[in-house]
Amino acid sequence: MVRLELNPRYLELCRTEPVSRVTMPYGGEAWLITGYHEIKEFLADPRFSSRWATEPDTARVTPLPLRPGNLLSMDPPDHGKMRKIVAHAFRPRIVSDLTDRMRELVTTELDAMEEAGPPGDLVQRLAIPLPVRMIVELFGVPYEERAEFRRYSDVFVATSAHTREEVNEARDGLEQFLRKLISIRRASPSDDLISVLIEALDAGQMTEVEAVRTGIGILMAGHETSLSMISNVSFLLLAQRDLYEQLLADRNLLDPAIEEMLRIIPLRSTGSFPRRASEDVEIGGVLIRKGETVIFQRAAGDRDERVFEDPETIRFDRERNPHLGFGHGIHYCLGAALARAELKAAIGGLLDRFPGLRLAGSVDDVPWKPGLIARAPESLPVTW
């Protein structure tokens, strides 16, 4: 795949074979789901186990499967219990407070970029500092320690960019980092996520492994995914600059524009995290046997002609947009409201400050991160 383009084979499968057999880079064969309705059915079916997908023989795109104990690798009832605990840190008041901080941070970063003069790099000036600052505040991580978890993050989400050994070392490093944070926060509890995990840990509601690995899952999803999405949305608006012009002309389009870009941007370079059937299940007329692995390509489902009119066209005035950008079912993204607020603060800030913003070079000059689960520009040079 190139930049934000989706391989047309996915769309062909969505139309003709929405549940198809594929060979994975690691672990053998799996079922790939590309149809919108079939993806929703799969995500809502408790017979597909995330916990089983932590087994080493699971077909997957990453060198190693997720470790058990992470919220993303849990099944009911453990998943529901753990999600209820950590959801406390994402309640509306917390997100509202962070939203105010986002606007302040965007202003500060764009002040610095404007003062330095063009060209500027939106990845370094906006896409990295905004979600990193928000996740460290949500967690209660000292901001000066952000580099410690950032150096593990790209390795953690590697497909081919790093070896199994390097991925394992990054996971160990992040677990050590979280254990250290838990130890430090015990002496000064607060309203942050680390304190929430400690409270549940001390009450016997989770084990230390679950606290650490669930913390890592949220830490990674909370900054790496948002970082990539801010970069991608910025790139898309400037690569197809008529889209940026539409938002300049009508700021009321910003909210629906964010939803449309969540639909159209194929954030993941490959399929989803895998799940495995805990019994024989039929989806889309295909029988999936117990133990078999299933992944899905969300971006293909969000271009399903059965659901979205003119799905390949980016339309900021789309009236109905039930996209799957944040998932569906029990694993629906806990931080969806926070992610939307970050995108709105970032893009709104650019529109306010730089109406003449454009790429500093050609679209083809933008470098992209290779070999990772999420696709995103390595840097995004802009001028104004």
Side-chain angles (χ1 to χ4, degrees), residues 92-214:
R93 180 181 66 79
I94 300 294
V95 174
S96 177
D97 289 346
L98 287 175
T99 300
D100 293 336
R101 291 284 298 112
M102 288 175 203
R103 288 191 284 266
E104 294 173 9
L105 181 64
V106 168
T107 297
T108 299
E109 291 294 334
L110 296 185
D111 280 348
M113 187 170 85
E114 187 172 31
E115 184 177 346
D121 179 4
L122 288 187
V123 172
Q124 293 299 321
R125 283 294 188 186
L126 195 60
I128 291 177
L130 177 58
V132 169
R133 172 68 83 171
M134 292 306 105
I135 201 66
V136 299
E137 292 197 11
L138 182 73
F139 257 79
V141 178
Y143 188 62
E144 60 272 14
E145 295 188 24
R146 67 195 182 280
E148 186 169 349
F149 75 79
R150 281 288 302 150
R151 67 190 174 99
Y152 297 124
S153 60
D154 275 354
V155 184
F156 189 94
V157 295
T159 53
S160 59
H162 296 278
T163 66
R164 296 167 62 97
E165 291 74 23
E166 289 170 333
V167 172
N168 220 27
E169 288 174 6
R171 292 180 177 186
D172 289 342
L174 279 171
E175 290 193 12
Q176 184 179 1
F177 178 67
L178 261 291
R179 285 191 171 91
K180 182 179 73 173
L181 288 178
I182 289 172
S183 176
I184 294 171
R185 180 59 73 224
R186 280 190 183 281
S188 55
S190 182
D191 201 27
D192 52 48
L193 183 57
I194 293 293
S195 298
V196 169
L197 293 174
I198 291 171
E199 185 178 345
L201 183 58
D202 291 346
Q205 296 174 304
M206 63 173 68
T207 66
E208 184 183 38
V209 168
E210 289 172 337
V212 166
R213 292 182 179 173
T214 291

Side-chain angles (χ1 to χ4, degrees), residues 13 89 102 140 342:
L13 288 172
M102 288 175 203
E342 288 176 352

Side-chain angles (χ1 to χ4, degrees), residues 30-86:
W31 293 100
L32 169 66
I33 305 182
T34 49
Y36 179 90
H37 299 299
E38 292 79 8
I39 290 173
K40 286 192 71 174
E41 184 180 350
F42 163 69
L43 291 176
D45 196 323
R47 294 173 294 179
F48 291 103
S49 168
S50 298
R51 173 64 181 84
W52 280 27
T54 64
E55 296 296 329
D57 64 337
T58 299
R60 60 192 186 277
V61 299
T62 54
L64 294 169
L66 278 177
R67 290 174 172 175
N70 188 318
L71 190 63
L72 291 173
S73 59
M74 288 182 181
D75 296 330
D78 294 338
H79 176 273
K81 178 185 70 174
M82 197 71 62
R83 187 181 175 96
K84 184 177 181 180
I85 292 169
V86 299

Side-chain angles (χ1 to χ4, degrees), residues 4 232-233 236-237 239-240 242-244 246 256-266 303 309-318 321:
L4 296 181
N232 288 333
V233 168
L236 183 62
L237 290 174
Q240 300 183 38
D242 63 301
L243 300 177
Y244 196 75
Q246 286 182 46
I258 287 172
E259 298 307 309
E260 179 71 343
M261 288 182 284
L262 285 166
R263 179 189 75 85
I264 203 72
I265 290 174
R303 288 169 169 77
E309 182 182 354
D310 193 17
E312 287 295 284
T313 301
I314 300 173
R315 288 172 42 188
F316 291 165
D317 61 348
R318 193 178 292 277
N321 194 353

Side-chain angles (χ1 to χ4, degrees), residues 105 109-110 113 119-133 143 150 154 223-224 226-236 238 346-347 350 357 359 366-369 375-384:
L105 181 64
E109 291 294 334
L110 296 185
M113 187 170 85
D121 179 4
L122 288 187
V123 172
Q124 293 299 321
R125 283 294 188 186
L126 195 60
I128 291 177
L130 177 58
V132 169
R133 172 68 83 171
Y143 188 62
R150 281 288 302 150
D154 275 354
H223 89 278
E224 194 68 38
S226 292
L227 185 164
S228 298
M229 201 62 189
I230 292 170
S231 300
N232 288 333
V233 168
S234 301
F235 169 80
L236 183 62
L238 299 177
I347 303 308
L350 289 175
L357 193 69
L359 293 176
V366 175
W368 291 76
K369 295 180 180 180
R375 62 173 89 191
E378 187 81 53
S379 63
L380 190 56
V382 294
T383 189
W384 56 92

